Amino acid sequence: MTEKATPSPEAITAWARLMRVSRQLVESAEDALKAGGLPPLAWYDVLHELAEAGEGGLRPFQLIERTLFAQYNISRLLARLEADGLVEKLKVADDGRGQTIRVTAKGRETRRRMWAVYGRSIAELVGAKLSADELKMMSALLGRLRDPPAGD
């Protein structure tokens, strides 16, 4: 039986700051996209993953794994992206109900326009405030939080 872990005051402070700063950074990036007349950040994530996948596209379950959207959220988002002509759904030959999602030329252009704003937001909100060494350190520390401890 394991003891219940009680967080240290430092862990609580770090957690609260991480959650608050993360929310603020995402909101700032979202605001910049909105001010530019562009779609929300979730659209960029999906368009990015589909563009990275190339002409073969991705199955919806692969998008769920890569973006961490819930199935019902990805279904609605894909329907909206398809209605706007940013993605296309293709039937999978050996799977009667299966489909592959592929980014269209319009989707690639939308992603490019979004990145111009999103990338600038990252540069201003993070890159301009920390040195290259600090950014590497922050990335390494956050990576340690993501990865399970050894022995799990």
Side-chain angles (χ1 to χ4, degrees), residues 93-131:
D94 59 348
D95 183 351
R97 293 178 31 183
Q99 56 187 352
T100 297
I101 312 300
R102 187 168 60 190
V103 67
T104 63
K106 182 179 178 185
R108 283 189 292 277
E109 173 59 21
T110 298
R111 175 182 171 243
R112 186 194 63 73
R113 289 188 303 110
M114 291 180 77
W115 178 249
V117 173
Y118 184 30
R120 187 170 47 250
S121 291
I122 293 170
E124 292 171 359
L125 296 167
V126 180
K129 296 181 179 180
L130 299 172
S131 71

Side-chain angles (χ1 to χ4, degrees), residues 44-55:
Y44 179 85
D45 290 342
V46 170
L47 293 173
H48 173 76
E49 291 299 334
L50 290 172
E52 291 293 309
E55 286 301 309

